Amino acid sequence: MNYSKALNNQIFKIIEQASQELNVDSYVIGGFVRDYLLQRDFKKDIDIVAIGSGIDLALKVSQLLPNNPKVQVFKNYGTAMLRYKDIDIEFVGARKESYNQDSRNPIVENGTLEDDQNRRDFTINALAFSLNEKNYGELVDPFNGLLDLENKIIKTPLNPDITYSDDPLRMLRGIRFANQLHFEIEAASLDAILRNKERIKIISGERIVDELNKILSTEKPSIGFLHLYKTGLLDIILPELTALNNVEEIEGHTHKNNFYHTLEVVDNICPNTDDVWLRWAALLHDIGKAPTKKFTKKQGWTFHGHEFLGGKMVKRIFERLHMPLNNKLKFVQKMVMMSSRPIVLAEDIVTDSAVRRLVFDAGEDVDHLMTLCEADITTKNPAKFKKYHNNFDIVRRKIIEVEERDHVRQFQPPISGEEIMELFNLKPSREIGILKEAVKEAILDGKIPNEYQAAYDFVVAKADKMGLKRIESKNI
């Protein structure tokens, strides 16, 4: 079958011309072909395989393009890349690969197109369109990948045990593709992942997290995480999460399954945010519940302090998986540590002072926190569900009212420490901190408005009780 209509972008004709001049065959392979056949949006990157030197082909293409775009050469991998308009094009020579047990980096030899397709991860990624004059646009499909696309199946070109053992990252990629494309993973492939799960330990944290981020970025991440769980990969990558899948019963008292609850929360949050780090917060918000779970006859099952411990566990996870230890970590930690605060508000009468403290503690992230906590409502009781959501609407309205009136989201004390020092002729001391803290607490409790005169009068009265005398000449 011929798909020359897929190759109407000028760049393909230029690659064809460059291939002719070098007397090598070339093909576009992988994601571009798969997504064209699935009628998915073009992802702005193209993989070209040359039966010869991919680097030489890239250099020749650059010569034929206007302005001769720069070619990035990666000699160790035998690949090269250039950017044409807004498209990234990677060139590689056809190759065959062999692996040793301790590394996913292959031993590479020059090969044929068939060799190159054999080394691909899945049949749907081994599809290729010819860029050669003799059969331009012809589909090369040695593994019936087109049929697998039609049947929505993820399967490997060769023996899945070999494919996954050679490069264990492919196990995560297979699960990610199934999640993204709404495909099923072939039973033999799923079984092979289960058998080869321990091999994931040779993959770097950065590579693992890249795939987890892509799963979290799908419309319904629970599909991918359930595959990760059932194949045993999740217990190796995020044991803190699988520890939640443990429901106990004592004296007729049980608690909800916090693992499946977590996956429901992640799915709930997806329609309301594309922020992958907020989705991470949803994934990790309850991880402190497994180590803090206790049963008492008086209270039943409790998880006291799980938010605080969960925040500490987030840091250990980020370190272990080599995730960014910067503001991204701080954001996820804050969301996890505060994840129950709006829930408590939604259960009780919503007071201005409680909302004021919530806004003060959450700062600029208060809207993200509310989004997380609304996703956390998974009760199947319609009355409770309605009550929580109604109360959250009240909380959101009060946040707007309190912020407009009291300006606590980016709180700055109306009276500074320097002014207090001058007012009472003090040097830096414990008393200054006590007075500043007292002003902050008074504003958050609603005892005084967030205004200078009110703060000034409050400080004078508080200082008088502490036995501090102000300088008489200081007046406003």
Side-chain angles (χ1 to χ4, degrees), residues 187-211:
S189 271
L190 272 177
D191 291 344
I193 293 174
L194 186 61
R195 285 192 296 272
N196 289 277
K197 62 182 185 293
E198 294 292 329
R199 293 281 290 150
I200 201 67
K201 293 176 180 177
I202 72 168
I203 302 298
S204 71
E206 293 90 342
R207 293 277 189 175
I208 289 171
V209 169
D210 184 51
E211 292 300 325

Side-chain angles (χ1 to χ4, degrees), residues 244 256 258 261-262 282-290 306 376:
L244 297 174
K256 68 184 174 187
N258 287 303
H261 162 75
T262 292
L283 185 70
L284 302 179
H285 81 283
D286 268 351
I287 54 172
K289 282 191 171 179
H306 76 270
D376 202 6

Side-chain angles (χ1 to χ4, degrees), residues 236-295:
I236 298 170
I237 297 168
L238 282 173
E240 298 87 350
L241 206 55
T242 58
L244 297 174
N245 192 17
N246 181 22
V247 178
E248 294 182 68
E249 180 176 346
I250 296 179
E251 298 180 4
H253 294 273
T254 62
H255 56 84
K256 68 184 174 187
N257 186 308
N258 287 303
F259 174 71
Y260 288 97
H261 162 75
T262 292
L263 297 188
E264 193 173 350
V265 174
V266 174
D267 285 350
N268 284 348
I269 207 169
C270 288
N272 300 314
T273 181
D274 292 329
D275 185 340
V276 72
W277 300 108
L278 186 52
R279 294 184 180 197
W280 266 104
L283 185 70
L284 302 179
H285 81 283
D286 268 351
I287 54 172
K289 282 191 171 179
T292 59
K293 182 171 68 172
K294 288 183 181 176
F295 178 82

